[in-house]
């Protein structure tokens, strides 16, 4: 098979890595890919926003299967365009991708089908939004509508903080927000392979969204992650599948927007059971970087079976994977580019490239989140020790990372 992976981050590096292990794959392309995917696939210089260019390439090369990484490519309608030309592509249509791109679309379906989630109200008027926050009190959550790469969310601990977030949201053109009840509990991610009503769960991962140790600082795209998550037992997973993931796939079929692709449940284990924080229309990043290395089944074969709507059982390694993100100084507010990274060859770990580039023959930083270092071990404690020991071998003075990934789940 000829397989194309669309995207250029750590998630796409992990997806390409999993696909590269499949005996079904003869030729693997990444568009545009990154210096990491270049080691396992052929990078093609087509932007992940250039739907026409991607389509032309896939037709020209007679690509048998395309796997979409990023949400913005989905929101641009890449799946609709490929399907129209009869090309096989794993991802949701533009309409189905709204489960992520529009908070309101997702909330309306959850309410209609009784899928547990935080109470909410949406606003297009700043004064009304501020009045609502004052009436509800803190803590309260303010979310800008639309794709924000995990950054348009403020979990406000005071009315003042919420008001400030509203001022920022409404200062933008066409400002629209969703204000939500603040859920308390233990957060986890459950990602499923989905095609219509076929829903196959993967193993659980826990992301760390805040920039700094102790869950302090601004929300980011994710600073570190591990899998599996001890506290999320098979019973809890079954409850989540029964009350959230399968009902959502069913609801989308009922609503005429059937979902194909990776359906990501951002979930909270609360005192009153599991509740949905959000759905994403694609694999999590950095979740993919710790979940996929544990998958022993043939990744490409699984996607094909799911697309044929066949139930299949996934085979997983019992090991724990733990990944720590190295981000550019200043992330998420700003980021520096072009700092030289040395020492990666010495690492006894899987390193996925999130935001790197080659410049004058050297690897340099090229974005907010730069690398994720992942190791695998028998226990979470061992994986923690191993990943942090390996990170120390990286030589770059413009990077920072959290020191407490996985700590909350240790005894
Ligand atoms: P989202 O972009 O919706 O995933 O939100 C980013 C992060 O904000 C989540 O991963 C949670 O940690 C937090 N968050 C979002 N919504 C809520 C909520 N209703 N209650 C508590 N925390 C939330
Ligand atoms: N890790 C969070 C996300 O991919 O949205």
């Amino acid at each position: 098979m000829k397989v194309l992976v669309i995207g250029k981050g750590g998630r796409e590096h992990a997806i390409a890595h999993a696909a590269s292990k499949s005996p079904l794959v003869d030729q693997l392309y990444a568009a545009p890919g990154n210096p990491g995917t270049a080691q396992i696939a052929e990078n093609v210089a087509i932007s992940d926003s250039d739907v026409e260019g991607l389509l032309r390439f896939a037709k020209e090369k007679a690509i048998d299967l395309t796997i979409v990484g990023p949400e913005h490519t989905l929101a641009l309608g890449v799946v609709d365009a490929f399907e129209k030309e009869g090309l096989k592509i794993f991802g949701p249509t533009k309409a189905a991708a709204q489960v992520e791109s529009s908070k309101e679309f997702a909330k309306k379906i959850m309410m209609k089908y009784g899928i547990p989630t935080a109470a909410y109200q949406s606003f297009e008027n700043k004064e009304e939004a501020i009045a609502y926050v004052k009436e509800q009190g803190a803590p309260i959550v303010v979310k800008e509508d639309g794709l924000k790469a995990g950054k348009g969310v403020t979990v406000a601990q005071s009315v003042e903080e919420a008001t400030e977030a509203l001022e920022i949201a409404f200062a933008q053109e066409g400002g629209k927000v969703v204000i939500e009840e603040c859920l308390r509990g233990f957060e986890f991610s459950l990602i499923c392979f989905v095609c219509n009503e076929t829903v196959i769960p993967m193993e659980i991962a826990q992301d760390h969204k805040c920039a700094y140790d102790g869950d302090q600082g601004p929300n980011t795209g994710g600073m570190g992650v591990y899998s599996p998550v001890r506290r999320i037992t098979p019973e809890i997973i079954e409850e989540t599948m029964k009350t959230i993931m399968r009902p959502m796939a069913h609801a989308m079929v009922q609503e005429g927007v059937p979902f194909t692709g990776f359906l990501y449940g951002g979930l909270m284990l609360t005192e009153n059971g599991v509740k949905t924080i959000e759905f994403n229309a694609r694999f999590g990043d950095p979740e993919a970087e710790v979940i996929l290395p544990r998958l022993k089944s043939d990744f490409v074969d699984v996607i094909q079976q799911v697309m044929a709507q066949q139930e299949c059982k996934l085979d997983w390694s019992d090991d724990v994977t733990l990944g720590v993100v190295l981000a550019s100084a200043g992330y998420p507010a700003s980021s520096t580019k072009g700092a030289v990274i040395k020492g990666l060859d010495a690492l006894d770990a899987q390193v996925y490239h999130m935001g790197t580039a080659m410049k004058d023959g050297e690897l340099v930083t090229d974005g907010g989140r730069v690398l994720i270092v992942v190791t695998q071990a028998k226990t979470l404690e061992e994986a923690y020790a191993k990943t942090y020991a390996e990170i120390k071998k990286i030589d770059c003075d413009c990077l920072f990372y959290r020191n407490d990934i996985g700590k909350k789940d240790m005894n």
Side-chain angles (χ1 to χ4, degrees):
M1 285 175 73
K2 291 183 191 166
V3 174
L4 167 65
V5 177
I6 300 176
K8 61 176 181 185
R11 163 182 53 211
E12 291 78 16
H13 188 182
I15 288 175
H17 186 212
S20 74
K21 291 190 245 172
S22 167
L24 296 171
V25 179
D26 303 304
Q27 198 137 21
L28 185 62
Y29 299 98
N34 62 37
T37 61
Q39 295 169 11
I40 49 172
E42 186 180 323
N43 283 353
V44 192
I46 305 171
S47 155
D48 54 19
S49 300
D50 179 6
V51 171
E52 268 183 32
L54 293 164
L55 184 59
R56 215 177 306 124
F57 175 79
K59 278 189 352 200
E60 203 177 284
K61 292 283 181 194
I63 299 291
D64 298 295
L65 173 68
T66 299
I67 307 168
V68 190
E71 53 272 31
H72 65 261
T73 315
L74 296 166
L76 287 169
V78 71
V79 172
D80 310 63
F82 272 55
E83 284 182 343
K84 211 166 132 204
E85 298 285 336
L87 288 164
K88 199 165 169 185
I89 183 163
F90 192 62
T93 59
K94 185 174 178 174
Q98 284 181 90
V99 74
E100 171 167 10
S101 62
S102 165
K103 302 261 182 216
E104 215 185 333
F105 172 90
K107 279 289 190 188
K108 274 195 178 146
I109 295 187
M110 285 190 266
M111 291 297 164
K112 182 167 169 189
Y113 289 84
I115 296 168
T117 187
Y120 84 109
Q121 208 148 326
S122 38
F123 294 90
E124 292 183 33
N125 174 292
K126 187 172 84 177
E127 276 63 43
E128 284 173 21
I130 291 175
Y132 180 76
V133 161
K134 285 191 175 144
E135 179 195 311
Q136 295 291 315
I140 195 157
V141 181
V142 176
K143 297 185 177 184
E144 296 172 30
D145 209 41
L147 290 178
K148 303 286 171 187
K151 290 174 224 153
V153 176
T154 306
V155 181
Q157 299 304 329
S158 65
V159 170
E160 290 69 36
E161 198 185 334
T163 309
E164 207 174 294
L166 289 170
E167 292 286 355
I168 294 168
F170 283 105
Q172 296 165 29
E173 181 85 13
K176 196 170 167 189
V177 300
V178 169
I179 301 180
E180 276 184 21
E181 161 200 9
C182 188
L183 298 174
R184 288 170 189 281
F186 188 81
E187 200 174 334
F188 65 100
S189 311
L190 172 56
I191 295 136
C192 298
F193 291 98
V194 175
C195 183
N196 298 342
E197 304 225 18
T198 303
V199 186
I200 314 236
M202 292 193 229
E203 292 272 285
I204 303 297
Q206 196 186 46
D207 191 8
H208 294 63
K209 297 267 175 93
C210 293
Y212 315 130
D213 286 10
D215 291 334
Q216 300 295 308
N219 247 307
T220 70
M223 292 298 292
V225 62
Y226 65 94
S227 171
V229 181
R230 266 190 285 232
R231 225 184 289 182
I232 307 303
T233 60
E235 291 71 33
I236 298 171
I237 297 172
E238 192 40 48
E239 177 200 327
T240 311
M241 290 300 294
K242 212 167 106 193
T243 60
I244 298 176
M245 302 308 292
R246 285 196 205 103
M248 192 60 183
H250 171 73
M252 292 188 75
V253 171
Q254 291 293 309
E255 294 295 308
V257 280
F259 190 96
T260 293
F262 302 108
L263 182 63
Y264 169 127
L267 305 157
M268 188 82 89
L269 176 62
T270 74
E271 278 180 354
N272 304 312
V274 179
K275 296 202 177 183
T276 315
I277 297 171
E278 61 163 353
F279 286 107
N280 291 324
R282 36 89 197 165
F283 220 126
D285 190 358
E287 284 88 340
E289 293 96 305
V290 290
I291 294 173
L292 289 176
R294 294 187 53 229
L295 180 65
K296 294 207 293 200
S297 310
D298 180 334
F299 178 60
V300 172
D301 185 42
V302 170
I303 290 180
Q304 287 194 298
Q305 287 192 52
V306 171
M307 289 183 86
Q309 297 183 61
Q310 287 165 5
E311 287 297 327
C312 56
K313 204 172 164 341
L314 305 181
D315 193 13
W316 296 97
S317 156
D318 290 331
D319 283 357
V320 177
T321 42
L322 185 138
V324 175
V325 172
L326 288 88
S328 290
Y331 176 74
S334 64
S335 66
T336 48
K337 285 188 176 187
V340 176
I341 307 164
K342 290 205 164 119
L344 288 193
D345 288 343
L347 264 65
D348 180 18
Q350 178 65 48
V351 179
Y352 292 113
H353 292 235
M354 304 181 96
T356 69
M358 293 303 293
K359 197 176 160 206
D360 304 328
E362 286 188 304
L363 188 70
V364 297
T365 62
D366 192 41
R369 294 188 296 172
V370 176
L371 296 166
I372 180 165
V373 175
V374 180
T375 72
Q376 199 156 336
K378 288 281 164 252
T379 66
L380 181 63
E381 289 74 7
E382 279 175 57
Y384 174 93
K386 219 164 135 180
T387 297
Y388 280 101
E390 294 303 321
I391 280 184
K392 302 228 157 42
K393 299 178 186 166
I394 297 177
D395 180 11
C396 179
D397 46 14
C398 286
L399 297 175
F400 79 98
Y401 54 88
R402 276 181 62 160
N403 294 287
D404 62 346
I405 303 304
K407 276 279 183 194
K408 254 189 296 187
D409 210 19
M410 290 181 200
N411 299 318

